[in-house]
Structure formats: structure tokens, C-alpha cells
Amino acid sequence: MAEGEVPAPPEGFKASNGRGPFSTVNGPIFHRLTDQHVQHAFFAEHRHTNGMGLVHGGMLTAFLDGLLAAAVFRGAERPAVTIHLSVDFLHMARTGEWVIGEARLTRATAEVAFAEGRAFVGTRDVVRATGVFKLMKPRLR
């Protein structure tokens, strides 16, 4: 498969559009919703890897940051920005694998929200994260 050529996403996932310039360059990112989680996925390409040929920790961190923020948006129904992100790297992801993440809102106050999530490849967890997010006022259009 040529670089930049992404196979069909896992069942139920659809391409995410309008994610902003950073995520667009690092994508494509796909999404689906379940009753309990927001789920995102990306196909690991060579451009996502470090010098050892493993998916770069920065890519995984950015992926989880966006995923947790999406869970906050879904649960709190407000946009949010990251205050704190804690990431634990558990295993490796490699080129040619689908990295799937799932996250959920765990708590929200009037101004701050908390979320947790994980990313996995097949049956192995690759990374887990928790985050604290500042809830923003919706933009007036």
C-alpha cells in the first residue's frame, strides 16, 4: 500500500471532517459513537512513526487529546480546551495497524470537565489517558 493510501476504516467508522489544521495534517481521523463512548481511529502510516518505526508517542498523545476533548464535548455539550493531560504508554503500535481509541466524560462541573480514554490495536492496549478540560462558552454566530 502506498504512503497516504488508507484502507477502508473498521466497521461503523466514518471520516471526521472540520477537525482543524493540526488534526487534518495528522489524519485522516475516523469516528463513531456508541452508547457509552466516543470512538476515533487512524491508520498508522510511516509518517506517524519515530526512528524505530513505531507510532510516535506525540502522535498517540495528540490522538488521545482530541479523543478526550470529543468525549467532553459530547457529554458536556460545550467545547473545551485541555488544562491537563496524563498519558501512560502501555505497548507499541506499528505502521499498517488501525489504532482505535475510546473515551468518555467522567465528570463535569460548571467550568471544568474530566475524561478518560484508551487507544488499542486489536486486543492490546497501546496507551491510556486522563484529562482535565476547561469548558468554554459556545461561540455566538
Side-chain angles (χ1 to χ4, degrees):
M1 180 171 299
E3 182 69 17
E5 198 174 317
V6 176
E11 186 175 340
F13 280 89
K14 297 179 181 178
S16 295
N17 297 313
R19 297 184 55 88
F22 182 83
S23 295
T24 299
V25 167
N26 290 304
I29 304 292
F30 299 83
H31 71 276
R32 74 177 171 193
L33 300 176
T34 70
D35 291 339
Q36 297 182 339
H37 295 101
V38 171
Q39 294 184 320
H40 287 177
F42 75 94
F43 184 73
E45 297 180 60
H46 178 72
R47 65 192 177 90
H48 297 127
T49 63
N50 60 22
M52 292 183 289
L54 304 171
V55 176
H56 195 285
M59 177 63 192
L60 293 169
T61 300
F63 177 69
L64 264 290
D65 186 36
L67 175 63
L68 268 60
V72 167
F73 182 79
R74 180 182 184 196
E77 298 180 341
R78 289 170 60 190
V81 295
T82 309
I83 295 173
H84 176 79
L85 185 67
S86 178
V87 179
D88 298 314
F89 298 99
L90 307 170
H91 207 283
M92 294 147 289
R94 292 176 166 78
T95 302
E97 296 179 320
W98 278 98
V99 178
I100 299 173
E102 60 186 19
R104 68 185 185 91
L105 174 73
T106 58
R107 185 170 153 242
T109 69
E111 295 189 15
V112 178
F114 302 83
E116 65 183 13
R118 71 185 183 112
F120 55 93
V121 172
T123 60
R124 72 181 187 274
D125 282 352
V126 174
V127 62
R128 66 179 171 211
T130 58
V132 182
F133 295 81
K134 169 68 175 155
L135 294 172
M136 308 299 287
K137 293 183 171 132
R139 285 185 183 174
L140 298 176
R141 296 181 189 245

